[in-house]
């Protein structure tokens, strides 16, 4: 979250959520408040959201466009490497990923689902 907060402030038209994986959303909210993060929103998963999104581990990160389509996802990595995706969605909130990216995401999800969580 430390690196995500200043990046989030560069994109005021985009919402940045931190969804609790295995702890109460209140713990996430407290962490955000304690560290003075201002541009990330704590949230809890709703229903089967994590299973539906095939989130298999705590550090799953994804960018979702304005139509609810996953624009980019990865399991680990630097928030700074995500800026091109944020820039693209800030310019076009319903942008769709390129076909190559869609296939890469499918391949990565298959690999993630085979790894122990």
């Amino acid at each position: 979250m430390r690196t995500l907060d200043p990046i989030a402030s560069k994109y005021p038209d985009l919402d940045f959520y931190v969804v609790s994986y295995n702890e109460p959303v209140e713990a996430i909210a407290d962490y955000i408040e304690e560290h003075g993060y201002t541009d990330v929103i704590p949230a809890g998963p709703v229903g089967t959201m994590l299973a539906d999104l095939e989130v298999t581990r705590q550090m799953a990160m994804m960018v979702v466009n304005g139509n609810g389509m996953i624009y980019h996802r990865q399991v680990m990595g630097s928030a700074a490497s995500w800026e091109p995706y944020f820039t693209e969605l800030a310019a076009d909130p319903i942008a769709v990923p390129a076909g190559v990216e869609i296939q890469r995401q499918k391949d990565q999800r298959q690999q993630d689902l085979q790894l122990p969580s």
Side-chain angles (χ1 to χ4, degrees):
M1 272 188 276
R2 181 183 66 219
T3 57
L4 184 59
D5 187 63
I7 292 170
S9 66
K10 295 180 186 179
Y11 303 96
D13 294 336
L14 301 179
D15 294 327
F16 291 79
Y17 292 90
V18 175
V19 179
S20 65
Y21 181 80
N22 59 356
E23 55 197 342
V25 70
E26 295 80 14
I28 300 295
D30 290 345
Y31 182 88
I32 289 170
E33 185 177 332
E34 285 172 18
H35 289 82
Y37 299 146
T38 57
D39 295 303
V40 292
I41 304 162
V46 177
T48 60
M49 180 179 102
L50 296 177
D52 293 344
L53 292 171
E54 297 177 352
V55 173
T56 60
R57 60 198 72 241
Q58 188 171 5
M59 283 300 299
M61 300 177 287
M62 61 186 69
V63 177
V64 179
N65 75 7
N67 286 336
M69 173 187 250
I70 297 173
Y71 188 73
H72 178 72
R73 72 185 295 151
Q74 69 188 55
V75 175
M76 299 290 281
S78 163
S81 68
W82 286 56
E83 287 202 62
Y85 305 107
F86 302 148
T87 300
E88 291 169 18
L89 286 178
D92 180 7
I94 59 171
V96 296
V100 172
E101 175 64 11
I102 291 171
Q103 186 59 48
R104 189 201 63 74
Q105 289 185 35
K106 286 180 182 177
D107 294 344
Q108 184 64 53
R109 275 195 315 280
Q110 278 302 108
Q111 183 181 6
D112 292 345
L113 290 171
Q114 294 172 12
L115 296 172
S117 42

